[in-house]
Structures are given as structure tokens and as C-alpha cells.
Amino acid sequence: MNGFVVDYLEHIIPVSFILKMGDEEKKIGRENPRFTVDLKKNLDKKEMLTSTSLSLGEAYMRGDIEVDRDLYEVLNCFMGEMDKFTADKSALKKLIFTSRSRKNQEREVQSHYDIGNDFYRLWLDETMSYSCGYFKEEGDSLYQAQVNKVDHILDKLSLKEGMTLLDIGCGWGYLLKRAAKEYGVRGVGITLSEEQYQKFSRDIEEEGLSDLLQVKRLDYRDLKKSGMEFERVVSVGMMEHVGRGSYEEFMENVDAVLKDRGLCLLHFISALEEHEGDAWIKKYIFPGGVIPSLREIINILPDYHFYTLDVESLRRHYNKTLLCWRENFNLCRDKIIEDKGEEFARMWELYLAACAATFQNGIVDIHQILISKGVNNELALNRVV
């Protein structure tokens, strides 16, 4: 059995397990083994030292790695040790540090969100919400959690009938549709995804919301020259696509369209410290994606006279959301394999299970930051809960 592989896996997996290669088995660790890792093909030393996540992730996608317990349970045992993973930044430079040009970022966004509405419809809930839900009650369904999340955001924004609301990175539009129907606001959503734009456009027409809502294929960097103004701005799950070095430009554009005393809510996956991102995720799931740290976003806000009113973590809610998505995904796995192949299905299940484990272990977090442009003394005294 390959001594390097044994030593390396023992280094990054803090629990006891069985490593199997062909007819050989080796127990690693002193406690009762928690699971068995079956290597159908030996792991390449150079690949492991270049990127642990790429090497293990690609091996799992190919079927070269199998585990005898639930994938999430296995990943949850060691994703908290990701700081021990190897990443050769020099060798991975082109993958990790991609261009923040408009053309490239549009291509990166579309590579993920334009896989197809039919694909996402298979495992998202009826709202087509592709962001963290909010489980107010233990028994809340995924659908109810997504409705809760949107209502939680809209409550924080203190909406009133007739107000104007901009959604930067509006997805398939559920938040704006609910804001229009429940509060009577007039809203604009912007996205770079053609699939999202087409569906949201159809929904606006079919649901009779043309007098209140519109959706635009627009880069956030074009907001400051758009001439538009809003009393409220929201952005859910979009700042992860902005890229380190462009957060100031993002806030400049929010500032340009947000009226004085207006409110903005930023909802984004966050990190405790600044990090370039995971190589496997960047290659196969979110090209160019970078998770901001909470502090780097908070520190930018005073430069634009933005007052921080509230910061809330939804980390455990995202763990639960991802596990719901994975359950739905696996219920339609045969259909996904038929449409897109076994390797694609293994890749996406790994993505959903691994992300759930990283939230559970605190490798990543998710925060909602509520800010005002200048001082706003007209808001309720008590926090929205």
C-alpha cells in the first residue's frame, strides 16, 4: 500500500478509518474506524501536493474513490481540517486568480447559472431560490424556509407600499415578486444569467406584475451610469462573484443608486479570514468565485457613509438548506445521470455534501448585513427577529 497516501490521509483526516486498496486493507488511527475509503486507483503524489481538493475531488468524480457511509457524514469528519490541505498557489495561479473583466465574469456566471432552468427546477423548491433558507421552526420544509428567508429580508428592509427596490443578482426573481405582491413595491432586478432573465421576464408577464417589476441583463458596474434611483437595495448571493479587489467598486455602484437614508441588505457567503478559494470549486462549480471575509466588507462601508445597522449569521441554516438540496438532488439522480452523465452527478453531489460540511464545521459562514446610507432615524427601534 502506498505509504505516502496513507500518511497524507492520516494527516488530514482526524478520525480513525479503514483504507482499502484492492485486496489490501489498513486501519488508520487508534479508535474504532468510522468509515472505509476504497481507492480503486492510487492517488498521484504530485497531484495531491499541488491541490488536495482537486486530487480528491476529481478522483471521486471518476469513481476512483468510494466510501461505505453517507458521503456527507464522511466529509463532515474532516472538512474542518481544510487548513491542512495542500494548495500550490503558483501552479494553480491561472485557476485561482481569474480575470475580473466584464466579459470573463459574465462567462463565469453563465457557466454555473445557465446549466439550465430544468436542471435547477429538479431539486430546488417551488420558489426557485438558490440561496440559504431560514428555518424558523424545526419542521419547516425547504419551501417554507425559502419563503421565511425572503420575508426576513423584506422585513429588515422596512418596506412600504410604493417604495422602489433594486435586487442586484436577482436570480429567478422570487424575492422581487413577493415584495411586489406583499408590499406593493416597484422593483428592478439585474442578472447576467440569460436563463434567469428569460424565466423572470416570463413570470412578470404571466403573474400580472408588469406595472411593478422589470428585469434587466445588466452588469452591476453599469448601475452608476444608469440614472436609476432606489429607496432600497438588496443583494443575495451575488458578492461571491464580485471578486477581491472589486468590492469597493460594488459599493460605489450601490451608493450611486441608493437614495439618502435608504437601506441596503447584503446577504453573502463569508469567511473568517481572507482566502483565495478552493481549487476544485473554482474549476468545476463556481469559476472565479471568491468568498469575502466579513471584516473586509464591514471595513469598506464607512468610506461610502454607510452605517452598519445589523449583522446576522445564518451559517447553520445554510447547512440545513444544502442537505435539503442534496436530498432532492439524490431523489432525481437517475434523471440527472440520464441527462448529464454519472461524472456530472457525482460532481454535484460532492459539491452539495462538501458545502454542507464546510458550513457545519465553520470553514465558511453566511451573513446578512443591513446598512443605511447616512443616518436613518425613522426605523423601528427593535431588531427584526
Side-chain angles (χ1 to χ4, degrees):
M1 188 170 287
N2 188 310
F4 167 78
V5 171
V6 171
D7 291 344
Y8 196 93
L9 294 181
E10 184 176 21
H11 173 65
I12 66 172
I13 300 177
V15 300
S16 297
F17 64 99
I18 299 293
L19 181 61
K20 181 180 178 182
M21 293 183 67
D23 295 330
E24 292 185 82
E25 287 190 4
K26 181 177 178 60
K27 178 187 172 185
I28 298 178
R30 298 179 179 179
E31 308 296 331
N32 290 330
R34 303 274 290 273
F35 53 85
T36 296
V37 177
D38 187 358
L39 289 183
K40 310 291 186 182
K41 183 180 177 181
N42 202 8
L43 297 171
D44 183 87
K45 179 178 180 179
K46 182 179 179 181
E47 291 179 358
M48 287 286 286
L49 293 177
T50 299
S51 172
T52 304
S53 65
L54 263 181
S55 178
L56 295 180
E58 290 178 341
Y60 184 81
M61 287 164 58
R62 294 190 302 265
D64 292 342
I65 293 179
E66 296 288 0
V67 292
D68 67 341
R69 283 187 60 187
D70 179 78
L71 179 61
Y72 167 72
E73 293 178 8
V74 172
L75 292 170
N76 201 37
C77 289
F78 72 93
M79 291 302 280
E81 307 292 314
M82 284 188 72
D83 59 338
K84 296 179 180 177
F85 285 17
T86 305
D88 184 339
K89 294 179 184 178
S90 177
L92 300 169
K93 184 176 181 180
K94 289 184 179 180
L95 177 61
I96 293 178
F97 303 102
T98 58
S99 168
R100 297 197 305 272
S101 71
R102 290 168 181 257
K103 184 176 181 180
N104 189 59
Q105 287 196 325
E106 180 176 8
R107 183 165 53 247
E108 290 174 340
V109 165
Q110 291 178 348
S111 73
H112 185 85
Y113 296 98
D114 287 354
I115 290 173
N117 290 342
D118 289 343
F119 168 67
Y120 287 107
R121 196 177 286 113
L122 286 172
W123 51 275
L124 295 178
D125 70 291
E126 301 94 308
T127 70
M128 289 289 282
S129 295
Y130 189 26
S131 56
C132 176
Y134 185 59
F135 294 85
K136 292 178 71 173
E137 305 292 341
E138 181 66 29
D140 281 348
S141 65
L142 176 61
Y143 168 76
Q144 187 59 55
Q146 294 294 4
V147 174
N148 293 345
K149 182 268 303 294
V150 168
D151 288 346
H152 194 51
I153 289 172
L154 299 180
D155 285 346
K156 286 183 178 182
L157 288 171
S158 301
L159 294 175
K160 296 179 181 177
E161 186 174 356
M163 277 187 171
T164 51
L165 171 63
L166 170 68
D167 188 347
I168 304 174
C170 62
W172 288 279
Y174 181 74
L175 183 148
L176 279 175
K177 290 189 294 182
R178 191 160 179 86
K181 292 175 182 178
E182 297 297 321
Y183 292 89
V185 304
R186 292 178 286 116
V188 175
I190 66 171
T191 179
L192 292 178
S193 165
E194 182 65 26
E195 293 268 340
Q196 292 177 343
Y197 170 78
Q198 292 295 340
K199 183 183 185 305
F200 193 9
S201 296
R202 288 193 300 270
D203 287 353
I204 290 172
E205 183 69 27
E206 292 172 1
E207 296 179 34
L209 298 173
S210 299
D211 291 341
L212 293 175
L213 299 180
Q214 58 180 310
V215 58
K216 299 175 180 285
R217 284 264 284 110
L218 189 72
D219 191 295
Y220 76 87
R221 285 165 284 204
D222 291 326
L223 286 171
K224 59 185 177 184
K225 63 182 182 183
S226 69
M228 296 188 291
E229 282 191 313
F230 300 90
E231 291 153 295
R232 301 290 188 264
V233 173
V234 65
S235 181
V236 178
M238 188 272 177
M239 292 200 71
E240 301 91 320
H241 301 288
V242 171
R244 185 159 289 118
S246 295
Y247 302 135
E248 292 84 356
E249 187 173 16
F250 181 88
M251 296 313 305
E252 284 175 13
N253 279 271
V254 171
D255 179 51
V257 296
L258 186 60
K259 293 182 178 181
D260 289 341
R261 296 185 300 282
L263 301 184
C264 172
L265 186 138
L266 304 174
H267 170 121
F268 61 97
I269 299 173
S270 59
L272 191 64
E273 297 178 339
E274 298 72 38
H275 191 269
E276 293 82 5
D278 179 77
W280 184 82
I281 288 285
K282 287 199 167 192
K283 183 174 181 179
Y284 291 102
I285 308 296
F286 286 114
V290 177
I291 296 175
S293 70
L294 177 62
R295 65 184 174 191
E296 65 186 323
I297 302 303
I298 292 286
N299 286 341
I300 290 170
L301 300 178
D303 296 339
Y304 302 94
H305 205 53
F306 286 132
Y307 284 71
T308 300
L309 306 179
D310 188 81
V311 179
E312 182 178 12
S313 167
L314 300 180
R315 177 179 62 82
R316 290 182 293 170
H317 292 268
Y318 216 161
N319 167 262
K320 193 167 183 176
T321 302
L322 282 153
L323 292 177
C324 288
W325 286 343
R326 181 184 171 229
E327 181 179 3
N328 290 346
F329 184 91
N330 282 333
L331 286 173
C332 58
R333 188 185 182 101
D334 289 344
K335 168 66 173 170
I336 293 169
I337 291 172
E338 179 184 339
D339 291 345
K340 299 186 179 295
E342 176 73 26
E343 187 168 303
F344 179 92
R346 291 177 69 89
M347 177 180 76
W348 268 79
E349 189 197 358
L350 177 59
Y351 154 59
L352 295 171
C355 285
T358 57
F359 279 103
Q360 180 70 8
N361 283 276
I363 299 300
V364 289
D365 206 322
I366 187 161
H367 283 93
Q368 290 184 352
I369 305 177
L370 181 67
I371 61 179
S372 66
K373 183 175 177 177
V375 175
N376 187 326
N377 292 324
E378 300 171 2
L379 304 174
L381 287 175
N382 297 322
R383 186 187 192 205
V384 173
V385 295

